[in-house]
Amino acid sequence: MGSGLSAFFSLLSKERKLKLFKKGLKNRFLYKLAELGSRTGSTGYMQEALLYSIKETRAAYLKERPVIWCSTFVPSELVYALGGVPFMPEVAAGLAAALGVADDFLRQAEEDWISSDLCSIHRCGWGLTKAGLLPEPDLIIAASHLCDGAKKYLQQISYYKGIPFYLLETPYHPDDADWLAHQIKDLVRELGGVKEDFETVFTYSNRAYRAHQRVNQLRKKIPAPMSGEEAMNLVSMEFMSSGSPAAVNYYRTLEKELKKRIKEKKGVVPREKHRLLWLHLKPYYRQEIFTTLARNDAVIAFEEYSQLYWLPLDSTKPYQSLAWKMINHFGWGPLERQLERIRKMVIDYNIDGVIGFSHWGCRQSSGRNGFLKKELQKKGIPFLNLDGDLVDIRNYREGQIITRLQAFIEVLESRNGGINYADSRT
Amino acid sequence: MKPITESLFENNNNAGGKIYTNCSYAPPEVFAAAGYSLIRSWPGDVSQNFPDLLPTDFCPYSKAFLADNLSEESFKIVTTSCDAMRRIKDILGPEALLLEVPRVKKNSRVDFYYKQLRKIIEKLGIDPESNIYRSNLVTEIKKYNYWRQQLQALMKEIINSPHYSIMALVKAVFKYTSQDFKGLKSFIGSSGMKPLGKSGTGGIEKKDELNPRLLIISTCLLDGSIASLVEEIGFKVVGLDSCLGERSFNVHVSEKGDPLKSLARSYLYKPTCPRTMDMTARLEEVKKLVEDREPDGLIYFVPKFCDQASYDFRLIKDCANDYGIRVLFLDGEYGSGESGQVRTRVAAFRESFIL
């Protein structure tokens, strides 16, 4: 039936496909079908993630609740408290890359004078918006952290659609947290107050936080029970689900799954010789990075984006709590602070080497890798600065990347002095 | 402190030394009142690279600022203008003080900016509440207000007379932002106002097809090469909306009330730079520029890999087109104005006014 469907689809013109796809996104029955498929076709934490995504996608496209577009580092708890559906075009851009359809939307952005010098996540988000594929937003909230591109392109979209745009300015220093707390309070008041009390939302958030804490603890086990690639594939749960019951279910089922794998001594790679830490995110289109690493007995044991960088939220001081969560983001603040956290992850997760992915157009992250490499190498920690692109496959040079990965593996091999860590660790 | 009139024309007393900054949102008055000269870095004319430290897709100004200041002993003030400059501050280390500048024009943001200015003054070992500092600040505000009015007058003269080159303004801004008031005085007072080059002298008072009026808009123009190229090709530049231009001196600081609060408000509300997240204000200012200066064409220059300037272009282009103004988009590094490709494009743009 599947091949018949794709054969039918391949006959259609792009415009027809787009039209059909848009219709499908507003079809209640199809959501029921997708839900059924997830319940029968998947299990455990993957099923939880799918069910959550289907439910919130339906809520957004069928306008079951106000749709609030936000940049990925606006706390989703704030959106849930406002009674909205958090929708992140940056996540949609990653999905478009994973489905292999990002090119058309990137080209649309370039036609609209949004230069290919800029981050492809935002260019693709712009193209998806212009194509009318994203759910109509009621308002947009952007945080000034982490990057310039996110807030600028969301502002352009708010101007293009004529809808309200709110910027939460995240100060650099923790002693200015109150200033941000006031901004959040003003925003909530301007939007008519919370619809879901903070206590309820923060209870879900804190439960998920504790389960996530236990998951991160389990991931210290050797061999690694979960790969960074797997975790980064579901990073949207990290960005969007905090503050919803789904996040609690997701992390609890993930915890169960990891316990099972550890019990069965099931590592991600058959012979784990090199444990790596991944900084930034990964390319979301098909590529050979992680299979190359696996072939060389290397695993991403942990990744920057899975850090729990905030403390459980306090509903007696909701605005301060949310402000603290934003200010403490691992990618914000002075690099010394980021370096400290990276060093701690290297120790906690028994890391042999760090890969810093330099995503084209991402000044804040690719601009730090030279500094991090210099500092980490002083501590004897090998660092690979890997240039590439999360969404635009035109910026992905497979040959060059594979060669650099292999050279990095050789550095790790020589560093281990030929000791077979895999045997000594298991 | 010397009487106001005499000190107007003196360079700062420099007792505290020089401080270098990247941005027009660092008010020089704040540092002059503490005995420092705040110098805006307009680094060289060659693009710099730090292959081990910075990626290729990184703003040329921030790399040049790093090159200019890496071995520089003195303090640096780096504003949170953009992601790239935040990383430059990280690389420069503790000698670089970070000045957080809000991105929205609101009272709550003025208070925050005021607090950040106070923090910086305290870090320089000065008590912002001391009488001596406050009276120095009042004097410095008067001094800088005076020079900004001179630069505004210079700009008006350049706009209204076909004979004066925009390069006079660029040179004056260089002197103003490097606190060279003696040099600025003699430059403005003397023949610093050189007439336009040969190919541009055909201009006359009223609009003349031979000499179309041009507005240049950018974040930081990097250097004067684009401005001098467009003049050489035969445009009459009637506006330089950049911090290497009018956005550095279209500020008047109220001389009443708390001087530091006045500074914070005036600087935050000065003409909108693309880093300020206020698209409505930005477009209003572009409309006003267009209505006041009546340009025939607009050149929008983006320093390569500048997110802020890149994202604003689309709406500014639409705005200019609504007024029937032709727009040319240029992006580039240092010395862009000397590149053959840019020259060809500007010349073709110039010819489109004749057809």
Side-chain angles (χ1 to χ4, degrees):
Chain A
M1 197 264 201
S3 58
L5 207 60
S6 59
F8 162 72
F9 252 98
S10 62
L11 297 173
L12 301 178
S13 70
K14 235 173 226 178
E15 289 68 31
R16 268 313 270 140
K17 277 184 208 163
L18 198 61
K19 225 173 179 178
L20 264 178
F21 201 68
K22 279 190 215 172
K23 254 191 173 165
L25 287 168
K26 291 185 176 155
N27 183 307
R28 198 174 288 278
F29 172 71
L30 284 181
Y31 284 105
K32 277 222 175 332
L33 217 60
E35 204 179 309
L36 193 65
S38 319
R39 288 193 191 283
T40 53
S42 66
T43 59
Y45 68 95
M46 189 54 87
Q47 184 185 90
E48 292 297 339
L50 279 172
L51 290 174
Y52 166 76
S53 306
I54 291 163
K55 175 176 167 286
E56 291 298 83
T57 304
R58 189 195 66 219
Y61 281 94
L62 301 185
K63 285 276 184 187
E64 293 168 3
R65 302 190 325 258
V67 178
I68 299 178
W69 286 17
C70 32
S71 54
T72 37
F73 306 114
V74 170
S76 47
E77 292 93 345
L78 174 58
V79 178
Y80 282 114
L82 289 167
V85 183
F87 184 85
M88 296 179 178
E90 289 160 294
V91 170
L95 185 61
L99 296 173
V101 296
D103 298 354
D104 287 344
F105 308 117
L106 292 166
R107 222 169 280 115
Q108 170 70 59
E110 278 144 48
E111 279 161 28
D112 289 346
W113 291 94
I114 297 182
S115 155
S116 57
D117 284 348
L118 305 174
C119 163
S120 58
I121 293 177
H122 305 140
R123 285 187 279 132
C124 186
W126 172 270
L128 287 164
T129 305
K130 281 297 285 289
L133 273 169
L134 303 184
E136 277 309 304
D138 292 289
L139 61 108
I140 295 180
I141 303 175
S144 65
H145 79 298
L146 209 51
C147 67
D148 293 329
K151 48 184 177 284
K152 286 298 278 194
Y153 106 101
L154 285 172
Q155 182 185 50
Q156 291 288 319
I157 287 177
S158 79
Y159 221 85
Y160 167 68
K161 286 189 170 292
I163 49 151
F165 172 84
Y166 298 90
L167 178 69
L168 293 174
E169 295 202 56
T170 313
Y172 224 53
H173 293 290
D175 47 12
D176 292 318
D178 279 347
W179 180 55
L180 176 54
H182 277 304
Q183 290 176 60
I184 300 170
K185 190 172 186 180
D186 289 346
L187 171 63
V188 169
R189 187 190 311 126
E190 205 170 320
L191 294 175
V194 292
K195 309 295 184 297
E196 190 75 57
D197 62 80
F198 278 118
E199 192 171 353
T200 308
V201 173
F202 285 7
T203 301
Y204 288 134
S205 175
N206 293 340
R207 279 190 196 141
Y209 181 96
R210 287 200 181 80
H212 189 170
Q213 231 171 4
R214 293 192 298 268
V215 162
N216 281 1
Q217 201 56 29
L218 292 169
R219 291 190 61 191
K220 293 176 182 172
K221 294 285 183 189
I222 297 171
M226 182 181 197
S227 80
E229 182 188 20
E230 201 180 351
M232 286 188 271
N233 278 338
L234 291 164
V235 76
S236 58
M237 289 304 286
E238 163 90 37
F239 291 147
M240 295 167 74
S241 71
S242 272
S244 74
V248 185
N249 302 335
Y250 170 72
Y251 283 109
R252 283 183 178 166
T253 42
L254 177 55
E255 180 190 3
K256 249 183 245 148
E257 173 71 20
L258 296 192
K259 279 181 177 168
K260 189 162 150 282
R261 292 184 192 175
I262 291 165
K263 207 166 154 208
E264 294 160 1
K265 281 204 178 308
K266 243 162 98 186
V268 175
V269 291
R271 278 169 44 85
E272 184 176 291
K273 274 168 78 175
H274 311 297
R275 293 172 60 90
L276 304 176
L277 174 67
W278 184 278
L279 304 183
H280 205 280
L281 289 170
K282 70 177 190 75
Y284 281 88
Y285 41 78
R286 200 186 300 274
Q287 32 68 32
E288 289 295 313
I289 293 174
F290 301 97
T291 41
T292 304
L293 287 174
R295 266 201 306 275
N296 287 275
D297 303 333
V299 67
I300 306 295
F302 199 62
E303 60 292 328
E304 180 179 37
Y305 268 79
S306 291
Q307 289 177 79
L308 281 167
Y309 56 85
W310 71 97
L311 294 173
L313 303 174
D314 176 355
S315 57
T316 64
K317 287 182 283 182
Y319 304 114
Q320 284 82 352
S321 271
L322 292 172
W324 274 100
K325 180 172 181 182
M326 294 169 77
I327 290 171
N328 274 310
H329 190 281
F330 56 79
W332 191 238
L335 273 191
E336 281 79 17
R337 191 173 90 179
Q338 294 189 36
L339 195 54
E340 262 332 289
R341 287 177 172 174
I342 290 167
R343 283 199 193 113
K344 188 172 185 309
M345 285 188 280
V346 165
I347 295 162
D348 287 352
Y349 289 87
N350 220 308
I351 294 296
D352 299 306
V354 179
I355 295 182
F357 191 76
S358 274
H359 166 53
W360 174 265
C362 185
R363 322 304 163 198
Q364 60 91 10
S365 73
S366 47
R368 67 175 179 175
N369 281 342
F371 177 94
L372 293 180
K373 175 172 186 170
K374 200 176 71 176
E375 296 301 321
L376 289 171
Q377 282 181 340
K378 282 180 194 165
K379 298 273 180 189
I381 302 162
F383 184 101
L384 172 63
N385 186 352
L386 201 60
D387 292 316
D389 199 298
L390 300 189
V391 167
D392 193 343
I393 200 164
R394 294 172 296 180
N395 288 332
Y396 173 70
R397 289 174 183 62
E398 182 136 291
Q400 194 187 85
I401 280 194
I402 303 302
T403 309
R404 302 203 61 213
L405 286 173
Q406 282 159 347
F408 187 57
I409 296 287
E410 280 159 28
V411 167
L412 297 176
E413 296 272 359
S414 63
R415 181 174 173 271
N416 294 346
I419 304 165
N420 187 329
Y421 264 83
D423 299 337
S424 69
R425 282 182 174 148
T426 43
Chain B
M1 201 74 191
K2 283 190 190 137
I4 187 71
T5 43
E6 202 183 301
S7 74
L8 266 181
F9 307 108
E10 293 295 321
N11 292 351
N12 295 339
N13 61 26
N14 261 349
K18 290 183 177 172
I19 296 179
Y20 293 88
T21 188
N22 63 302
C23 178
S24 65
Y25 280 99
E29 296 97 317
V30 163
F31 302 91
Y36 289 90
S37 261
L38 185 77
I39 314 282
R40 188 103 56 72
S41 281
W42 298 116
D45 45 19
V46 175
S47 289
Q48 306 281 340
N49 275 309
F50 294 85
D52 292 338
L53 269 178
L54 295 171
T56 47
D57 57 323
F58 216 73
C59 149
Y61 178 78
S62 58
K63 287 194 267 193
F65 182 84
L66 180 62
D68 240 34
N69 287 285
L70 203 51
S71 51
E72 181 57 57
E73 291 296 322
S74 61
F75 271 126
K76 270 78 64 180
I77 301 292
V78 177
T79 65
T80 50
S81 54
C82 58
D83 293 338
M85 282 319 293
R86 276 195 297 122
R87 288 301 166 246
I88 298 305
K89 185 289 186 244
D90 285 313
I91 294 167
L92 287 172
E95 279 152 40
L97 303 176
L98 192 75
L99 172 57
E100 281 193 76
V101 182
R103 293 170 183 271
V104 175
K105 297 182 178 185
K106 260 186 182 176
N107 284 335
S108 63
R109 291 345 194 235
V110 173
D111 298 339
F112 177 77
Y113 186 33
Y114 165 74
K115 192 180 155 194
Q116 302 308 309
L117 291 172
R118 285 179 62 96
K119 266 195 213 174
I120 289 271
I121 298 162
E122 283 154 6
K123 277 185 185 155
L124 295 174
I126 306 275
D127 172 9
E129 289 302 331
S130 70
N131 288 332
I132 176 91
Y133 179 77
R134 287 170 69 88
S135 80
N136 286 355
L137 192 55
V138 170
T139 305
E140 291 301 335
I141 287 172
K142 285 192 172 105
K143 175 176 174 177
Y144 281 85
N145 274 341
Y146 168 82
W147 284 112
R148 286 189 281 259
Q149 280 151 10
Q150 297 303 306
L151 290 166
Q152 287 160 21
L154 172 65
M155 187 64 205
K156 208 164 266 166
E157 239 178 291
I158 290 171
I159 294 165
N160 295 330
S161 151
H163 303 303
Y164 292 137
S165 159
I166 195 69
M167 293 314 291
L169 187 87
V170 171
K171 284 175 190 136
V173 168
F174 279 139
K175 290 183 185 301
Y176 169 72
T177 52
S178 49
Q179 316 302 317
D180 174 12
F181 297 109
K182 274 186 191 161
L184 190 52
K185 177 172 179 275
S186 64
F187 180 76
I188 287 185
S190 71
S191 63
M193 306 273 284
K194 288 197 190 62
L196 276 175
K198 245 188 227 62
S199 68
T201 46
I204 47 173
E205 292 303 327
K206 68 177 178 52
K207 266 207 198 164
D208 175 347
E209 278 62 32
L210 274 177
N211 219 350
R213 297 163 68 89
L214 186 77
L215 189 54
I216 299 176
I217 290 186
S218 179
T219 40
C220 150
L221 207 54
L222 298 183
D223 53 27
S225 67
I226 291 285
S228 72
L229 169 70
V230 297
E231 246 175 17
E232 194 195 309
I233 297 267
F235 284 102
K236 167 62 186 174
V237 179
V238 292
L240 201 48
D241 178 32
S242 159
C243 46
L244 178 51
E246 300 177 53
R247 287 210 300 273
S248 272
F249 56 79
N250 278 345
V251 185
H252 180 79
V253 180
S254 158
E255 293 169 17
K256 298 188 201 75
D258 180 316
L260 194 56
K261 276 225 164 107
S262 302
L263 262 169
R265 171 169 300 281
S266 312
Y267 271 82
L268 194 58
Y269 278 79
K270 79 183 178 74
T272 309
C273 148
R275 69 168 295 284
T276 316
M277 293 285 296
D278 196 335
M279 208 61 226
T280 307
R282 179 99 175 102
L283 291 173
E284 283 313 313
E285 282 156 16
V286 170
K287 280 175 194 159
K288 189 162 188 313
L289 264 177
V290 161
E291 282 155 11
D292 289 353
R293 313 290 173 83
E294 296 183 329
D296 304 298
L298 184 155
I299 284 184
Y300 190 91
F301 176 77
V302 173
K304 198 79 171 135
F305 307 120
C306 172
D307 296 318
Q308 328 264 27
S310 294
Y311 274 110
D312 277 11
F313 173 65
R314 210 176 55 80
L315 288 171
I316 289 177
K317 179 181 81 66
D318 293 348
C319 171
N321 290 160
D322 290 346
Y323 281 86
I325 293 165
R326 279 172 240 172
V327 178
L328 173 67
F329 174 93
L330 293 174
D331 69 348
E333 308 247 352
Y334 276 93
S336 284
E338 283 127 28
S339 99
Q341 192 202 24
V342 171
R343 171 179 288 274
T344 308
R345 291 187 63 207
V346 173
F349 185 55
R350 169 72 179 73
E351 267 151 41
S352 70
F353 290 91
I354 294 169
L355 306 181

